[in-house]
C-alpha cells in the first residue's frame, strides 16, 4: 500500500508500537476491513494515549484540528477507515446520548489560497451533513475572511460526517464554477452532546470537490456543538416527543426567507386541557388562532364538545424581523361569532435555534377587567429553525461632536430603541388593545406608532438629548382610547424607568418588566428595549459646607457630626389621584429633622440638598421619609431606616436605598432614594 504522509515537522513512526499500528491501519485499508478497538484515556502507555494515537494515525493534519473531543475517563470507540482523500481517517465514537442536531458556527479563516489576480479570493463556506447544506455570505477580496455565522443541521443517520468546504466565488460564473479552497470533515459520532468545541481546523484537499490534486493552504476556526433532543428529559417526555407530528422541513426555503428578512418558526399545536365551558352542555368547541405582530398566521380545526381537545396540527410560520412574540388564542366556535377562552404568549427570544421545545402555557385573559373565568392550559411544540434578523437599526452618532456639545452646552445624548412588548393586558376584554409606547428623557420625548396587539412589535429607535440633572429614561406603554369614547384618555398599561448611569456604552437588548404607574395599578407584561448611553452629563453632588470649628465643638461635647446630601429619587410609585408625585424628602437623626425643597410632578425628582446633623450619643438610626405634597396637605408614602453606626468615620458612602410603604404590614417598594453620607466625626 501507499506510505502515509507525515505531518509538518513529524518523523515517521517515532514509536515502534505506533509503527505497527500504522502498518495495521494500512492493511485494513488495503483489504477494505475495519480494525476497531476500545480505548480509555489513561489505560495506555503515553505513546498510545488517545492524543498520540490521533496524531500518528489521523493523517498529516489530524493532530492540528482538535476536532475530536474526549473527556477524561470517557470511553470512546476508535476505528481506522479508508479515506476518499488517499489517506486514513480516525473515527472516535463518544459513548452517551446520540446527537440528533449539530449547531455549527463558522467563525473565520486564515491564509486561504489566493485565487484572484489581486492576490485575494472571494471566500464563502458551505456547511453540509448529507443532503442538508448551508452557505455563509461571500467575503470579497481577502485571504482572512470573518463570518461568525451559525447553522443548525439535523443528524438523521449514525456515522454522519459534517463537512465544511471553502470556495472562491468567481463573479459571472454559476455557483458550481466556484473554485475549491479546502475542506474539513468531522465525524458527528465523535462529538459529545452538549459540549461545544471551538478550535482551528487545517484545510485539506478532497477528491470529492477537486479531481486534480492541487495545493491547499490555510485553516478555518469553527465552533461545533452536538445537541440531543432527549437529553435531560424523562422517559415519558421522550415518548411524547416521538409521537408529536412535526413539519416537513424545507431548509432551502427557510434560507431564502432569511435573505428576505424573515425567520422560520415550526409550531405544533398539540393539545389543551381544563378549558372553560362556554356551551350549555358544559363543554366547548375550541379552536386555536396564532398571531405574530398583529397579523393572523394560522388557525386549527375545531374540536367538538370537549374541554380537553387534541389537535396535533403542524404549521410553518414566517416570522418578520421585528417580531418578539407568538400569540396563541383559544376560542369557542359558535353558530355566530366565537367566545374567547384564553390566550398564551410564546416569547421568541426564549426559543433556541433549531431545537424542539415542548411546553405547557397557562391561559390568561386579555384584560384585568375580564369577568369571565379563564382556566386551563395549552401544550405547544416550537422549533425556531432560523431566527429572524434583528429589525432595529440604532441611530448612528458622532461621539466626538456629542462630547464637544456636552462640554459647551452641558447636554448629553442616549439612544433608546423600543423593540416590542409581550403579555400586555388592555381595558377591553373583548378585543386586543391598540397600544403605543412613549420614551421620555427629561424634556426629550419620542413616540411609537400604535398597534392592535397584546404583543406589539414597534422596532422604533430614538436619539434623545439628556439635560444636566436628568437621571432616568422612562418608557410608558399606553392603550389608545377608543374613537367612540371621545372624552376618555389614553390609559397607562405600564411603565419602566432605567437609570442613565447604568445604561451600557454599546447598544444592548434586554427585557424590562412593566410596573403600574400608581401604587394601586395592576400591570402585566414586559417591554424589550435597546439602550445605549452615548454621553451622559453627571449630576454634580453638592456637599455640605464643612465648619471645622463646629465639628471640634461637637466632638468636645461628645457629639458626632453627620453630613448628608439627598441627591435624587427614582421610580416613585405614582399617587392614586394624579399618577405623579410632588415629592419632598425628610431626614431625621435623633430629634433633629431637615427636608428638601418640593419637586413638582415627577416620579424621578432630583433634589441635590446638602444637610449637616449633630449626632447624640446612643443615636444609631437615621429615618428617611418621602412625602407627597400634591393636593391638599402632605402625605407620607414611603420610608427607610438606615443604621448609621455601621458607617466608618470620614468614609463617604454614595448609594441608592429602597423605601417601602409606611404601613409596617405593607412591604411594597415605593421607590428608591440616593443619599451621600459622610460620618465626619462619630459620637
Amino acid at each position: 500500500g501507499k506510505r502515509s504522509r507525515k505531518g509538518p515537522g513529524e518523523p515517521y513512526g517515532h514509536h515502534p508500537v505506533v509503527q505497527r499500528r500504522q502498518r495495521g491501519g494500512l492493511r485494513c485499508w488495503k483489504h477494505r476491513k475495519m480494525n476497531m478497538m476500545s480505548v480509555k484515556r489513561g489505560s495506555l502507555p503515553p505513546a498510545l494515549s488517545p492524543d498520540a494515537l490521533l496524531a500518528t494515525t489521523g493523517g498529516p493534519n489530524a493532530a492540528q484540528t482538535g476536532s475530536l473531543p474526549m473527556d477524561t475517563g470517557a470511553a470512546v470507540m476508535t476505528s481506522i477507515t479508508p479515506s476518499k482523500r488517499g489517506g486514513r481517517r480516525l473515527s472516535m465514537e463518544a459513548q452517551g446520548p446520540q446527537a440528533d442536531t449539530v449547531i455549527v458556527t463558522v467563525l473565520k479563516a486564515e491564509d486561504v489560497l489566493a485565487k484572484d489576480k489581486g492576490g485575494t479570493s472571494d471566500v464563502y463556506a458551505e456547511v453540509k451533513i448529507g443532503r442538508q447544506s448551508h452557505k455563509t455570505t461571500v467575503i470579497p477580496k481577502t485571504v482572512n475572511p470573518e463570518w461568525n455565522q451559525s447553522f443548525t443541521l439535523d443528524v438523521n443517520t449514525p456515522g454522519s460526517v459534517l463537512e465544511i468546504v471553502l470556495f472562491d466565488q468567481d463573479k459571472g460564473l454559476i455557483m458550481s464554477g466556484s473554485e475549491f479552497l479546502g475542506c474539513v470533515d468531522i465525524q458527528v459520532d465523535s462529538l459529545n452532546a452538549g459540549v461545544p468545541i471551538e478550535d482551528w481546523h487545517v484545510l485539506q484537499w478532497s477528491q470529492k470537490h477537486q479531481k486534480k490534486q492541487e495545493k491547499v493552504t490555510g485553516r478555518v476556526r469553527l465552533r461545533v456543538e452536538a445537541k440531543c433532543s432527549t437529553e435531560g428529559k424523562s422517559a415519558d417526555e421522550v415518548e411524547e416527543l416521538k409521537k408529536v407530528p412535526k413539519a416537513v422541513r424545507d431548509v432551502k426555503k427557510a434560507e431564502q426567507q432569511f435573505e428576505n428578512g424573515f425567520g422560520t418558526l415550526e409550531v405544533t399545536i398539540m393539545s389543551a386541557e381544563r378549558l372553560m365551558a362556554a356551551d350549555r352542555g358544559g363543554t366547548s368547541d375550541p379552536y386555536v388562532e396564532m398571531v405574530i405582530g398583529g397579523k393572523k398566521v394560522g388557525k386549527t380545526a375545531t374540536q367538538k364538545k370537549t374541554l380537553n381537545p387534541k389537535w396535533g396540527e403542524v404549521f410553518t410560520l414566517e416570522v418578520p424581523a421585528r417580531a418578539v412574540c407568538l400569540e396563541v388564542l383559544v376560542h369557542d366556535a359558535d353558530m355566530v361569532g366565537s367566545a374567547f377562552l384564553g390566550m398564551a404568549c410564546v416569547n421568541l427570544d426564549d426559543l433556541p435555534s433549531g431545537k424542539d421545545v415542548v411546553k405547557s402555557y397557562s391561559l390568561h385573559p386579555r384584560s384585568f377587567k375580564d369577568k369571565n373565568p379563564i382556566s386551563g392550559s395549552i401544550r405547544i411544540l416550537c422549533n425556531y429553525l432560523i431566527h429572524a434578523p434583528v429589525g432595529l437599526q440604532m441611530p448612528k452618532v458622532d461621539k466626538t461632536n456629542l462630547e464637544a456639545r456636552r462640554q459647551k452646552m452641558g447636554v448629553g445624548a442616549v439612544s433608546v430603541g423600543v423593540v416590542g412588548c409581550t403579555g400586555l393586558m388592555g381595558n377591553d376584554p373583548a378585543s386586543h388593545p391598540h397600544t403605543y409606547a412613549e420614551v421620555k428623557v427629561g424634556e426629550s420625548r419620542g413616540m411609537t406608532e400604535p398597534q392592535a396587539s397584546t404583543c406589539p412589535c414597534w422596532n422604533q429607535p430614538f436619539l434623545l438629548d439628556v439635560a444636566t440633572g436628568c437621571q432616568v429614561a422612562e418608557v410608558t406603554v399606553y392603550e389608545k382610547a377608543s374613537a367612540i369614547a371621545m372624552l376618555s384618555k389614553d390609559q397607562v398599561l405600564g411603565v419602566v424607568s432605567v437609570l442613565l448611569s447604568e445604561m451600557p456604552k454599546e447598544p444592548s437588548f434586554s427585557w424590562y418588566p412593566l410596573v403600574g404607574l400608581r401604587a394601586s395599578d395592576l400591570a402585566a407584561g414586559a417591554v424589550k428595549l435597546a439602550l445605549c448611553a452615548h454621553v451622559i452629563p453627571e449630576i454634580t453632588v453638592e456637599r455640605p459646607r464643612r465648619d471645622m470649628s463646629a465639628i471640634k465643638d461637637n466632638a468636645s461635647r461628645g457629639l458626632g457630626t453627620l453630613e448628608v446630601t439627598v441627591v435624587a429619587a427614582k421610580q416613585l410609585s405614582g399617587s392614586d389621584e394624579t399618577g405623579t408625585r410632588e415629592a419632598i424628602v425628610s431626614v431625621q437623626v435623633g430629634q433633629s429633622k431637615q427636608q428638601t425643597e418640593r419637586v413638582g410632578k415627577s416620579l424621578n425628582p432630583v433634589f441635590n440638598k446638602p444637610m449637616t446633623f449633630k449626632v447624640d450619643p446612643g443615636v444609631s438610626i437615621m429615618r428617611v421619609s418621602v412625602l407627597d405634597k400634591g393636593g391638599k396637605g402632605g402625605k407620607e408614602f414611603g420610608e427607610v431606616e438606615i443604621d448609621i453606626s455601621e458607617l466608618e468615620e470620614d468614609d463617604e458612602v454614595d448609594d441608592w436605598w429602597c423605601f417601602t410603604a409606611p404601613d409596617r404590614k405593607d412591604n411594597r417598594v415605593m421607590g428608591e432614594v440616593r443619599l451621600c453620607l459622610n460620618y465626619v466625626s462619630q459620637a
Side-chain angles (χ1 to χ4, degrees):
K2 296 181 181 179
R3 184 177 178 86
S4 175
R5 185 178 299 175
K6 71 182 182 68
E10 294 177 1
Y12 287 106
H14 60 279
H15 193 283
V17 181
V18 176
Q19 280 191 326
R20 289 197 293 274
R21 176 57 56 199
Q22 288 178 334
R23 289 197 294 271
L26 293 173
R27 284 198 298 273
C28 289
W29 173 41
K30 182 176 180 180
H31 297 290
R32 296 292 191 267
K33 294 180 180 179
M34 184 176 291
N35 181 15
M36 301 190 71
M37 67 178 183
S38 179
V39 181
K40 190 170 183 180
R41 183 184 289 272
S43 62
L44 297 176
L48 276 181
S49 67
D51 293 333
L53 186 62
L54 175 63
T56 55
T57 62
N61 298 311
Q64 302 174 43
T65 62
S67 60
L68 302 176
M70 289 178 290
D71 292 334
T72 301
V76 297
M77 295 295 295
T78 67
S79 61
I80 304 174
T81 59
S83 171
K84 296 180 181 179
R85 303 212 177 116
R88 291 156 299 155
R89 179 171 58 204
L90 180 68
S91 164
M92 294 193 180
E93 289 191 28
Q95 301 300 302
Q98 293 296 312
D100 48 29
T101 303
V102 174
I103 301 174
V104 183
T105 303
V106 185
L107 297 167
K108 57 185 176 180
E110 286 184 353
D111 302 324
V112 300
L113 199 63
K115 290 285 188 177
D116 299 337
K117 292 181 180 180
T120 60
S121 293
D122 301 327
V123 192
Y124 71 91
E126 187 174 356
V127 182
K128 301 173 65 177
I129 291 182
R131 295 184 178 181
Q132 302 172 76
S133 178
H134 299 274
K135 292 184 177 70
T136 67
T137 55
V138 178
I139 308 299
K141 297 181 180 180
T142 182
V143 293
N144 300 297
E146 294 188 13
W147 294 284
N148 199 19
Q149 290 182 252
S150 297
F151 306 97
T152 301
L153 301 98
D154 292 331
V155 181
N156 298 317
T157 57
S160 296
V161 177
L162 171 65
E163 297 180 80
I164 296 90
V165 191
L166 269 61
F167 292 98
D168 167 50
Q169 185 186 59
D170 290 332
K171 295 181 180 179
L173 298 177
I174 59 174
M175 292 301 291
S176 59
S178 297
E179 296 186 76
F180 174 75
L181 296 176
C183 68
V184 171
D185 285 0
I186 299 175
Q187 288 281 349
V188 175
D189 291 342
S190 70
L191 303 173
N192 290 324
V195 181
I197 301 295
E198 182 177 327
D199 209 340
W200 286 101
H201 300 257
V202 177
L203 295 172
Q204 299 178 351
W205 171 78
S206 171
Q207 189 177 9
K208 178 180 177 181
H209 300 285
Q210 192 178 52
K211 292 183 180 180
K212 183 180 178 181
Q213 184 170 359
E214 295 182 3
K215 179 183 178 182
V216 172
T217 64
R219 57 181 186 165
V220 61
R221 190 168 182 83
L222 306 171
R223 183 187 299 116
V224 183
E225 182 175 5
K227 293 284 189 179
C228 179
S229 59
T230 61
E231 189 176 5
K233 291 183 171 62
S234 65
D236 293 340
E237 289 174 325
V238 173
E239 288 301 316
E240 179 190 33
L241 197 58
K242 290 179 180 179
K243 297 176 182 178
V244 177
K246 298 181 182 179
V248 178
R249 188 164 295 168
D250 188 339
V251 177
K252 289 188 176 180
K253 183 179 179 181
E255 290 177 346
Q256 291 174 355
Q257 289 179 349
F258 181 81
E259 292 176 357
N260 295 328
F262 291 89
T264 300
L265 176 65
E266 297 173 352
V267 179
T268 301
I269 303 297
M270 299 168 61
S271 60
E273 60 182 8
R274 297 178 289 102
L275 296 180
M276 181 182 67
D279 300 336
R280 291 182 179 180
T283 61
S284 294
D285 301 324
Y287 68 92
V288 174
E289 278 186 340
M290 286 168 287
V291 178
I292 296 179
K295 179 182 177 182
K296 293 181 181 180
V297 294
K299 180 181 178 181
T300 68
T302 301
Q303 301 294 314
K304 298 291 186 179
K305 297 181 179 180
T306 179
L307 301 181
N308 300 287
K310 294 183 179 180
W311 290 282
E313 295 190 39
V314 181
F315 302 85
T316 300
L317 309 177
E318 287 186 354
V319 181
R322 61 184 187 176
V324 294
C325 190
L326 169 68
E327 297 176 76
V328 181
L329 297 93
V330 185
H331 297 276
D332 169 59
D334 293 326
M335 294 294 292
V336 179
S338 62
F340 179 71
L341 299 180
M343 67 174 294
C345 297
V346 180
N347 192 331
L348 298 180
D349 283 354
D350 293 339
L351 300 178
S353 295
K355 185 176 181 181
D356 291 338
V357 177
V358 179
K359 187 175 179 181
S360 292
Y361 296 86
S362 298
L363 298 176
H364 60 78
R366 280 184 290 209
S367 170
F368 288 116
K369 297 181 180 180
D370 194 344
K371 296 181 180 179
N372 295 320
I374 300 295
S375 64
S377 62
I378 185 167
R379 194 157 179 81
I380 306 170
L381 180 148
C382 294
N383 189 322
Y384 207 163
L385 184 61
I386 297 180
H387 278 246
V390 178
L392 180 67
Q393 298 295 327
M394 297 293 278
K396 294 182 179 180
V397 298
D398 187 337
K399 290 192 175 182
T400 303
N401 290 340
L402 291 179
E403 182 62 32
R405 189 163 167 259
R406 182 190 69 83
Q407 294 178 0
K408 184 178 180 180
M409 304 172 58
V411 177
V414 297
S415 289
V416 179
V418 185
V419 182
C421 286
T422 181
L424 298 179
M425 286 196 183
N427 289 286
D428 185 359
S431 64
H432 274 22
H434 283 70
T435 57
Y436 67 94
E438 182 186 44
V439 183
K440 182 180 178 183
V441 180
E443 298 300 322
S444 301
R445 302 192 181 194
M447 193 177 298
T448 68
E449 296 293 329
Q451 284 190 16
S453 176
T454 59
C455 301
C457 308
W458 294 297
N459 265 23
Q460 288 186 242
F462 302 95
L463 180 61
L464 303 173
D465 288 339
V466 181
T468 301
C470 185
Q471 59 172 343
V472 296
E474 299 177 34
V475 179
T476 307
V477 180
Y478 291 91
E479 179 182 5
K480 198 169 183 62
S482 171
I484 300 174
M486 299 295 293
L487 299 178
S488 62
K489 296 181 179 180
D490 295 352
Q491 299 294 313
V492 176
L493 300 183
V495 64
V496 168
S497 296
V498 182
L499 200 63
L500 297 181
S501 60
E502 296 177 357
M503 274 193 184
K505 302 301 180 184
E506 298 295 332
S508 176
F509 292 81
S510 295
W511 284 95
Y512 296 86
L514 294 168
V515 298
L517 179 63
R518 301 174 179 85
S520 58
D521 286 349
L522 296 175
V527 60
K528 185 177 182 180
L529 303 175
L531 304 176
C532 180
H534 303 299
V535 177
I536 304 297
E538 296 183 0
I539 299 176
T540 303
V541 178
E542 292 188 20
R543 312 291 181 184
R545 292 183 179 179
R546 185 169 295 181
D547 187 343
M548 294 305 300
S549 61
I551 293 174
K552 292 179 180 179
D553 182 59
N554 291 339
S556 65
R557 293 186 292 159
L559 304 178
T561 303
L562 177 66
E563 295 178 348
V564 179
T565 300
V566 182
V567 183
K570 67 174 181 177
Q571 297 179 355
L572 301 184
S573 178
S575 69
D576 294 336
E577 294 81 12
T578 64
T580 61
R581 297 286 185 183
E582 296 186 26
I584 289 177
V585 176
S586 173
V587 181
Q588 181 175 353
V589 179
Q591 300 299 318
S592 177
K593 183 185 294 186
Q594 300 182 49
Q595 65 181 29
T596 66
E597 300 294 328
R598 179 172 62 181
V599 177
K601 296 183 179 180
S602 175
L603 299 180
N604 300 281
V606 176
F607 304 101
N608 228 348
K609 174 67 174 179
M611 308 172 181
T612 303
F613 293 90
K614 296 178 182 179
V615 184
D616 294 322
V619 174
S620 61
I621 298 298
M622 179 177 73
R623 187 173 183 271
V624 181
S625 304
V626 186
L627 299 88
D628 182 13
K629 287 292 185 178
K632 297 180 180 180
K635 182 180 180 181
E636 180 181 342
F637 67 94
E639 67 173 19
V640 60
E641 292 184 346
I642 301 171
D643 189 351
I644 59 176
S645 64
E646 297 179 353
L647 299 177
E648 297 291 337
E649 188 169 309
D650 212 16
D651 184 15
E652 186 176 275
V653 175
D654 185 346
D655 207 349
W656 290 90
W657 276 268
C658 293
F659 57 88
T660 58
D663 185 355
R664 298 293 182 180
K665 297 180 181 179
D666 190 349
N667 293 322
R668 286 178 301 164
V669 174
M670 307 297 287
E672 296 180 54
V673 60
R674 180 185 171 188
L675 304 171
C676 285
L677 309 178
N678 190 358
Y679 213 155
V680 181
S681 175
Q682 293 186 346

